Amino acid sequence: MLTRRTFAATAALLALSGWVAAPSFAQPADAGARDFIERLGNEAISTFARTDLSRQQALSSFTRLLHEGFDVPYIGRWVLGRHWNAATPQQQQEYLNLFERLIVDTYANRFLEYSGETFRIAGSRPEGERDTMVQTQIVRPAGPPVQVEWRVRQQAPGTFKIIDVVVEGVSMGVTQRSEFASVVQSRGGITGLIDALRSRVSQG
Amino acid sequence: MKLASLRSLLRAATAATLSLAFVGCASLPPDDPAARDAYYEANDPLEPINRAIFGFNEAADILILEPAANSYRLLVPDPLRDAVQAFILNLLSPLVIANELLQGNFEDAQVATGRFITNTVLGAGGIADVATVAGMPYEPEDFGQTLGVWGIGSGPYIVLPILGPSNLRDATGRAVDTVADPVRIWAYNTDNKGFLVGRAVTGAVDTRSRVITEVNDLRRNSVDYYAAVRSLYRQQRQALINDSAAPQSTPEFPDFKSQ
């Protein structure tokens, strides 16, 4: 029941929390990151809900959204971890090309098979020193909703990019990093990983 | 395959695992500190044996479990599959409640108790998950998670024959849950062991039938499926131990441009 006293208490609490949060620099980035995810999500849904696109058109829309939303070179470099520095510039370039093709191969089909999923922003929190974790809930036509968190970095004022995706507590970046580390170790270095990636993307 | 021969096969596999465990340890990289970090992150000193068992499990999955799950999904209508899942989960309620209590989550223990009573009484013996509709969602808990909440580390990664990815802590937890399960105690005392086998087989097929696309995607898209599953398992268990709380340690995402 909202008596006058609880109303006053709530107002005071809100004022206080606003005062506590205001000096934090994460705050404006935080709201910007949420808007960014919301915009990107809506754009993705309106693109893939269309049925008049050919497969080729849909694939190129996917690649465009990928570049718009994700810092693919950053993710690729992060995923390679300490092995990045051991690679020559040519190897780094070839690896990044293959990495992007792997991402497109992996995720494009999921988006092309869009079947009415919707999302809503569930919240956000500052993560690390400079990022924002935007929490979303993906609601599927069948099955329980999925919690997906997007790690967003502000690269320049007003420019946001996703640098990691965490699905139900599982980070895609961490998973891929430990996978790649295992391949580098067992296949004798970065050349082995590049070979493995090349044969993987040429299959699809 | 006859059950007896399956059992002796399993016994031989276990013996082989134990004897190999002392010979086949992946050796600790001595010098490179970054290589040592990777070794500890994966925490997989038994990797050669684990990979062999993983391969055996994959073969069993592709030959038996996956086809069974595919037909199950095709032949059994969704509402019936949901009833099967709800019934099996409801039978696990006593274990969930006990583990919530052991973890000191008294509110969650109350929710789990409420679920158990609601679904057993109003859900026709557990076949309808009316509790979730009423705002009491299912929260998986087991003794491995309880040990994690108590601060016990995961120990080395272990791939169990048939049962799949685990680690020393979770395998111990699994053994404790199995022995403490009231349904198992009832089945042993009343000579209904067949019920336990039926539950295990149905549960495995039902669970597998819910992740067919996900497993196919992961198999197709990974360059090292074994390493991907190992990382997924570790992160998933950590997320379950933390419940919905934010993870305690997130990896660092440095700013490469300033370097």
Side-chain angles (χ1 to χ4, degrees):
Chain A
M1 192 168 48
L2 194 67
T3 62
R4 222 170 55 178
R5 190 176 296 169
T6 54
F7 180 74
T10 315
L13 198 68
L14 277 176
L16 188 68
S17 63
W19 174 74
V20 172
S24 147
F25 290 105
Q27 213 52 30
D30 205 79
R34 283 176 68 138
D35 291 347
F36 161 72
I37 292 294
E38 178 121 51
R39 255 198 334 269
L40 191 70
N42 287 332
E43 202 179 332
I45 288 179
S46 63
T47 307
F48 295 109
R50 288 175 61 178
T51 46
D52 57 324
L53 295 179
S54 72
R55 189 181 160 79
Q56 204 47 50
Q57 284 171 318
L59 266 179
S60 68
S61 322
F62 175 82
T63 315
R64 187 177 51 75
L65 281 168
L66 181 71
H67 290 149
E68 192 184 319
F70 294 79
D71 189 344
V72 180
Y74 179 93
I75 299 172
R77 181 172 169 178
W78 189 84
V79 159
L80 197 54
R82 64 199 171 87
H83 303 296
W84 175 268
N85 294 326
T88 66
Q90 290 92 323
Q91 284 175 327
Q92 291 175 349
Q93 198 48 52
E94 179 165 25
Y95 160 77
L96 284 181
N97 289 340
L98 289 166
F99 179 75
E100 178 167 335
R101 283 181 60 192
L102 180 76
I103 297 282
V104 173
D105 279 5
T106 306
Y107 295 102
N109 279 328
R110 280 185 216 172
F111 282 90
L112 299 190
E113 288 159 11
Y114 176 78
S115 54
E117 289 84 357
T118 56
F119 78 103
R120 63 175 199 87
I121 308 264
S124 62
R125 63 166 191 274
E127 186 78 41
E129 280 174 14
R130 42 181 308 193
D131 301 334
T132 305
M133 208 54 134
V134 181
Q135 296 148 304
T136 60
Q137 215 177 31
I138 312 285
V139 183
R140 300 179 292 169
V146 185
Q147 316 292 333
V148 181
E149 299 187 330
W150 311 83
R151 187 174 184 132
V152 176
R153 177 164 292 181
Q154 185 170 26
Q155 294 182 319
T159 309
F160 296 91
K161 293 276 171 175
I162 297 163
I163 57 170
D164 191 24
V165 184
V166 181
V167 181
E168 297 280 347
V170 175
S171 150
M172 296 296 108
V174 169
T175 308
Q176 212 151 29
R177 181 163 70 169
S178 90
E179 199 185 332
F180 284 9
S182 170
V183 176
V184 169
Q185 204 191 6
S186 65
R187 292 232 202 167
I190 180 90
T191 356
L193 176 67
I194 289 176
D195 289 345
L197 288 174
R198 200 182 289 122
S199 63
R200 169 61 56 198
V201 297
S202 60
Q203 273 174 28
Chain B
M1 202 188 312
K2 275 198 202 121
L3 198 60
S5 62
L6 180 70
R7 201 173 285 157
S8 68
L9 179 77
L10 279 180
R11 201 170 292 153
T14 316
T17 311
L18 288 176
S19 58
L20 274 171
F22 299 101
V23 200
C25 293
S27 53
L28 185 62
D31 310 319
D32 186 357
R36 287 179 78 103
D37 283 352
Y39 175 86
Y40 283 120
E41 196 193 345
N43 200 351
D44 193 2
L46 304 177
E47 183 166 341
I49 306 146
N50 279 340
R51 277 196 189 261
I53 299 172
F54 188 79
F56 169 76
N57 288 351
E58 277 293 286
D61 182 71
I62 289 164
L63 291 175
I64 304 162
L65 189 56
E66 193 187 354
N70 268 321
S71 341
Y72 177 74
R73 193 171 64 163
L74 276 177
L75 298 176
V76 183
D78 284 2
L80 190 54
R81 288 199 294 135
D82 288 347
V84 167
Q85 187 190 41
F87 182 71
I88 290 176
L89 289 183
N90 197 48
L91 287 183
L92 291 177
S93 295
L95 287 175
V96 173
I97 297 164
N99 280 301
E100 293 281 23
L101 289 174
L102 289 171
Q103 292 171 26
N105 298 336
F106 298 110
E107 269 175 43
D108 292 339
Q110 248 172 23
V111 172
T113 313
R115 273 185 61 85
F116 186 42
I117 296 169
T118 311
N119 283 348
T120 307
V121 177
L122 300 176
I127 59 166
D129 186 1
V130 282
T132 296
V133 182
M136 293 185 280
Y138 171 70
E139 176 91 47
E141 295 292 348
D142 53 65
F143 196 63
Q145 289 183 51
T146 300
L147 292 173
V149 170
W150 290 351
I152 293 169
S154 67
Y157 181 67
I158 299 173
V159 181
L160 299 171
I162 306 290
L163 300 174
S166 190
N167 55 45
L168 191 55
R169 177 193 63 208
D170 293 342
T172 311
R174 194 173 185 130
V176 171
D177 282 329
T178 307
V179 174
D181 182 8
V183 177
R184 182 176 174 275
I185 295 169
W186 162 82
Y188 269 73
N189 287 337
T190 55
D191 209 19
N192 276 314
K193 285 181 203 163
F195 178 81
L196 292 180
V197 176
R199 177 179 71 163
V201 171
T202 318
V205 174
D206 179 73
T207 307
R208 185 66 180 82
S209 78
R210 290 167 196 277
V211 292
I212 289 173
T213 338
E214 287 82 352
V215 171
N216 285 345
D217 275 357
L218 193 64
R219 269 186 190 148
R220 193 176 58 230
N221 296 319
S222 46
V223 276
D224 186 342
Y225 183 50
Y226 171 86
V229 170
R230 180 176 64 195
S231 176
L232 283 173
Y233 180 76
R234 191 171 58 88
Q235 294 183 67
Q236 232 162 26
R237 291 298 294 178
Q238 198 52 52
L240 282 175
I241 290 167
N242 298 341
D243 282 341
S244 47
Q248 290 141 347
S249 64
T250 50
E252 208 179 307
F253 285 77
D255 189 358
F256 294 137
K257 283 177 197 113
S258 65
Q259 278 174 10

